[in-house]
Amino acid sequence: MKSYTAELLGTFWLVLGGCGSAVLAAAFPDVGIGLLGVSLAFGLTVLTMAFAIGHISGCHLNPAVTVGLFAGGRFPASKVLPYIVAQVIGGVLAGAVLYVIASGQAGFDVAAGFASNGYGEHSPGGYSLTAALVCEVVMTAFFLFVIMGATDSRAPAGFAPIAIGLCLTLIHLISIPVTNTSVNPARSTGVALFVGDWAVSQLWLFWVAPIIGGVIGALAYRMVAEKE
């Protein structure tokens, strides 16, 4: 239960920190943090939690990471579903807290997006379903590739959280204009449930694509890193 609780709290922090920066601070008058700030915020949530709970649960914070690590031979099948449940609960709780905070401002409108992920008319840059699918698969694949490599026993010890946090920052710098960046079904679910409507109807993509990408990335790492 300690590892499941750690995953719940860690995912809560990721969604509150990352999506919170997008909802509350990205476009704040005159001194908004913008795309760069939101990208960094997501990276910092993973970096800080990796140091805080990496030794407890492995700090997955993401169903795609959990499934990917299972596919990569790094995680037992018996823990996959409990980890995913804990992550989704953490994401939804963070969405609830963020909703309470954001709705305290006059004129708040959850229909504006609430940092939800989307494609087509709900993509920040108007990107198509195909573009969103490819983007999410590829970004998550490389995220898992980096995670597998950074946590390999042959990698320099103690630096994995930095590499993984910076990788997530880079992913956001690339893909926020396309989908608002998911690469994490729990992150997407945590805010989509409060938007409802289009955010929920498009949520399937942000489960399917990251999980496919996670498996691809983990298997790719096994292929190139397998000891002779």
Side-chain angles (χ1 to χ4, degrees):
M1 286 303 298
K2 289 183 179 180
S3 60
Y4 304 147
T5 302
E7 283 297 303
L8 187 155
L9 293 173
T11 310
F12 178 96
W13 183 237
L14 182 147
V15 174
L16 184 64
C19 295
S21 71
V23 172
L24 304 175
F28 189 77
D30 301 323
V31 291
I33 62 174
L35 184 153
L36 295 175
V38 173
S39 299
L40 184 59
F42 271 101
L44 288 173
T45 62
V46 171
L47 189 155
T48 52
M49 271 297 156
F51 279 115
I53 65 169
H55 55 288
I56 301 172
S57 68
C59 192
H60 298 188
L61 318 185
N62 182 341
V65 170
T66 297
V67 174
L69 291 175
F70 164 70
R74 299 274 191 89
F75 196 68
S78 61
K79 290 187 176 182
V80 170
L81 184 58
Y83 260 53
I84 291 175
V85 170
Q87 291 156 1
V88 172
I89 292 173
V92 173
L93 289 175
V97 170
L98 180 58
Y99 181 86
V100 170
I101 296 171
S103 61
Q105 182 183 48
F108 169 71
D109 182 10
V110 72
F114 200 52
S116 289
N117 303 112
Y119 55 84
E121 64 179 310
H122 301 294
S123 156
Y127 287 83
S128 67
L129 168 60
T130 300
L133 175 65
V134 171
C135 183
E136 288 290 327
V137 169
V138 172
M139 295 301 156
T140 315
F142 276 93
F143 191 37
L144 262 293
F145 192 90
V146 170
I147 290 172
M148 292 280 288
T151 56
D152 193 305
S153 61
R154 295 167 288 178
F159 292 97
I162 298 173
I164 295 167
L166 289 176
C167 180
L168 188 61
T169 298
L170 175 59
I171 286 169
H172 280 78
L173 288 172
I174 297 168
S175 60
I176 284 178
V178 183
T179 62
N180 225 12
T181 309
S182 172
V183 303
N184 184 338
R187 167 261 189 269
S188 298
T189 303
V191 289
L193 294 182
F194 293 89
V195 176
D197 192 26
W198 65 266
V200 172
S201 67
Q202 294 191 355
L203 184 59
W204 67 270
L205 177 70
F206 303 105
W207 274 87
V208 173
I211 288 175
I212 291 174
V215 171
I216 292 172
L219 294 179
Y221 185 79
R222 289 186 71 173
M223 180 180 69
V224 302
E226 189 176 56
K227 297 177 182 179
E228 297 294 338

